[in-house]
Amino acid sequence: MLASAPPVSAPDTRGWTVAKAPGAVPLLGHTLALWKNPLGFLASLPAHGDLVELRLGPKRAYLACHPDLVRHVLLSPRKFDKGGVFDKARQLLGNSLSVSRGEEHRRQRRLIQPAFQPAKLAAYTNSVAADTARTIGSWQPGQVLDVSDAMHVLLMRVAARTLFSAGLDDSTTDEARECLRTVSQGIYKRTVAPVGVMEKLPTPGNRRYDESNRRLREIVDEMIKARRGHEGGDEDLLSILLNVEHPQTGERLSEAQILDQVVTFLVAGSETTASTLAFVFHLLGRHPEAERRMQEEIDRVLDGRPAVFDDLQDLPYTKGVITEALRLYPPSWLSMRVAAEDVEIGGHRIAEGTMIMYSSYALHHNAELFPDPERFDPERWLPPRLAEVPRGALVPFGHGAHKCIGDVLALAETTLIVSTIAGGWRLRPVPGTQLRPQPKATLEPGPLPMRCEPRHRKTKDTDG
Ligand code: HEM
């Protein structure tokens, strides 16, 4: 109901529409609808109100549907803090940045933020093109590969290099990737499960989860130890974490905290970025005109050489393609906060402890924010149309105090990988393949078989 809402900057002024979501069933409320067709159900809710009340079993929860209300929630972390599913994830990720709250979160963020300054990213990302070139060096003309799978493996390699300046051998890459997958799925299952009994049973699935969690931590720990062994400059994220010091207190991160943070970066940063890449190639495969335009830009700017961080500013159309993929398929499709006290939102009082959700998927598919929302249209992100995008409508990385700390890194990695691959190859859809996005811990593309076609222009060999 965006049209009826005033263009306010103070979201608690009058004029908001607050509605109950239709279709609640006895006892379960909207749990079944959310379970059966989460994306369709969430995307249907903004038509009912700016703030929509849901029943999740006996509990009342809200979805903030208007971008100004979403901003209000995300910009008021003292009123709307992390809780609920994040509390459960804390048991698995330690009290790391993505799950900590309040003053502890602010403290950690201040300590860690310097590691993600754009000025550092040029150094972390300078071997992304080389890792990508090495991966695509084994592709054969006509070969069919599962792009989802290929991007996850590549991202694991890139993440290891960005975090630890370490090359991963193929078997450790595969193992770490498998562990990460099992751990991410396990975290998701455990955070959405209404009761915590199932996860304690000695089922094969739980044993696999425990073993993957243990092994992932072991691999990361080994890499941290190996990295500690040799002096380095600022060329990877870990070196910053090892040396970071609070300006006033001189406080540093403990070994355990570093391990938790690094595992968190892998969990938060790998599947999300890999899925984004897979969605990008799916969309390009279905939109040859956009693909041609993007390739022209890449050829003009790079002229066959590997892309580096400084090239990103010269690839606006490529960035538009990636932004449009993040709009259509935001990996972080649903998140939540919990009211830390009795608060008012949209002129409506809600009680302490109530869950407030925001869904980037629902915002991004709202026709009142994005005309013709199902259409892949990278030009939305180029001037002059860029100016028409309403404030707060695009939130693939969230907003406010908990905004993704890896947003610029993720965009840089994605652009460098897309431009390296698209410089040398076209990925064609295999006839009959249907994209079925799967909303799990992140929005996943599922298997995406695509055929590799070499282009007239090959990327230069970046192995030196
Ligand atoms: C395309 C890739 C990515 C997407 C779409 C994404 C999305 C997000 C979103 C939406 C949030 C906020 C969730 C909320 O509001 O509850 C978030 C938080 C976070 N992300 Fe990302 N992310 C990506 C890549 C990365 C990378 C590469 C890293 C690290 C290397 C990373 C690390 C984190 C961390 C640590 C947080 C928690 C921040 C805090 O609470 O202070 N993410 N991400």
Side-chain angles (χ1 to χ4, degrees):
M1 304 217 94
L2 289 153
S4 62
V8 291
S9 53
D12 286 331
T13 50
R14 296 170 69 81
W16 299 104
T17 49
V18 182
K20 287 188 195 316
V25 299
L27 295 176
L28 292 174
H30 299 96
T31 314
L32 218 54
L34 205 48
W35 182 256
K36 270 176 135 168
N37 177 15
L39 299 178
F41 178 64
L42 288 168
S44 75
L45 295 179
H48 300 287
D50 299 316
L51 182 70
V52 175
E53 184 186 308
L54 301 157
R55 296 269 167 180
L56 301 179
K59 290 194 181 157
R60 195 178 294 188
Y62 291 85
L63 182 75
C65 294
H66 192 285
D68 280 352
L69 291 185
V70 173
R71 274 169 66 83
H72 177 62
V73 170
L74 298 182
L75 289 173
S76 317
R78 287 187 165 84
K79 289 187 190 164
F80 304 99
D81 207 347
K82 289 213 165 170
V85 296
F86 292 108
D87 287 343
K88 274 200 156 186
R90 193 171 301 133
Q91 296 160 10
L92 310 151
L93 294 175
N95 196 16
S96 64
L97 189 62
S98 61
V99 290
S100 59
R101 312 184 188 182
E103 192 39 51
E104 172 59 20
H105 174 260
R106 285 187 280 282
R107 194 186 64 82
Q108 288 192 28
R109 185 97 192 194
R110 270 196 300 273
L111 276 175
I112 295 168
Q113 190 74 54
F116 287 89
Q117 279 165 1
K120 307 257 188 243
L121 299 181
Y124 306 155
T125 53
N126 66 14
S127 50
V128 172
D131 278 327
T132 310
R134 203 164 296 127
T135 296
I136 60 181
S138 65
W139 292 0
Q140 297 299 322
Q143 176 189 350
V144 172
L145 52 83
D146 178 354
V147 172
S148 279
D149 212 47
M151 293 303 120
H152 278 88
V153 172
L154 172 58
L155 231 291
M156 198 66 232
R157 246 176 227 146
V158 165
R161 185 92 61 187
T162 317
L163 286 165
F164 319 103
S165 318
L168 274 189
D169 61 65
D170 286 351
S171 77
T172 316
T173 306
D174 287 347
E175 194 188 0
R177 194 254 147 140
E178 251 339 289
C179 292
L180 195 61
R181 207 178 165 71
T182 311
V183 169
S184 296
Q185 294 305 342
I187 291 176
Y188 175 62
K189 279 193 195 141
R190 282 157 178 76
T191 49
V192 296
V195 284
V197 182
M198 294 302 286
E199 67 217 46
K200 300 205 173 70
L201 300 176
T203 61
N206 286 340
R207 274 202 295 272
R208 208 166 35 246
Y209 170 80
D210 289 338
E211 175 52 22
S212 299
N213 199 9
R214 190 199 59 74
R215 182 65 188 129
L216 181 65
R217 284 177 168 268
E218 194 173 73
I219 294 173
V220 173
D221 198 36
E222 279 162 14
M223 298 194 78
I224 294 177
K225 292 211 168 86
R227 180 66 186 70
R228 268 186 198 279
H230 63 86
E231 292 298 307
D234 276 9
E235 73 282 4
D236 60 27
L237 258 167
L238 184 63
S239 60
I240 311 271
L241 294 183
L242 291 172
N243 295 319
V244 68
E245 209 176 84
H246 194 280
Q248 272 93 47
T249 60
E251 178 195 9
R252 300 175 83 123
L253 292 168
S254 70
E255 300 237 334
Q257 283 170 334
I258 291 178
L259 180 62
D260 283 342
Q261 302 295 359
V262 173
V263 170
T264 298
F265 294 156
L266 282 175
V267 171
S270 303
E271 306 262 312
T272 43
T273 312
S275 295
T276 303
L277 284 162
F279 284 125
V280 165
F281 286 110
H282 164 78
L283 287 163
L284 290 171
R286 304 274 157 169
H287 298 88
E289 181 47 34
E291 184 188 45
R292 192 193 51 73
R293 214 178 137 185
M294 191 188 84
Q295 282 166 342
E296 270 172 20
E297 178 179 84
I298 291 168
D299 290 350
R300 183 165 26 81
V301 174
L302 301 178
D303 195 22
R305 68 174 167 78
V308 291
F309 189 77
D310 285 344
D311 292 316
L312 302 184
Q313 61 195 352
D314 299 322
L315 297 167
Y317 190 80
T318 309
K319 188 174 172 210
V321 166
I322 293 166
T323 309
E324 185 66 344
L326 282 165
R327 180 187 71 79
L328 282 166
Y329 304 113
S332 177
W333 54 284
L334 179 68
S335 191
M336 55 150 315
R337 299 290 185 272
V338 170
E341 53 192 61
D342 291 351
V343 285
E344 193 174 299
I345 174 167
H348 190 71
R349 301 256 349 135
I350 61 168
E352 181 183 342
T354 306
M355 189 200 294
I356 310 253
M357 301 183 285
Y358 80 95
S359 165
S360 46
Y361 187 90
L363 281 169
H364 296 177
H365 288 257
N366 185 336
E368 295 192 42
L369 298 171
F370 295 101
D372 204 356
E374 301 312 317
R375 200 159 85 87
F376 174 66
D377 182 6
E379 293 198 30
R380 292 180 206 269
W381 307 106
L382 297 175
R385 287 179 55 203
L386 179 59
E388 292 163 19
V389 177
R391 186 181 69 164
L394 181 80
V395 286
F397 296 106
H399 198 63
H402 287 281
K403 184 176 185 209
C404 180
I405 200 166
D407 56 350
V408 182
L409 174 62
L411 284 176
E413 286 175 348
T414 317
T415 315
L416 293 171
I417 292 172
V418 168
S419 52
T420 306
I421 294 178
W425 293 88
R426 297 179 76 205
L427 295 171
R428 315 302 333 135
V430 170
T433 306
Q434 279 282 320
L435 177 75
R436 292 204 176 79
Q438 299 166 8
K440 297 187 181 167
T442 58
L443 188 60
E444 293 180 13
L448 267 185
M450 297 188 85
R451 191 175 302 281
C452 305
E453 261 182 22
R455 287 187 60 217
H456 62 282
R457 182 192 278 284
K458 282 261 190 181
T459 45
K460 283 181 185 163
D461 180 3
T462 48
D463 281 348

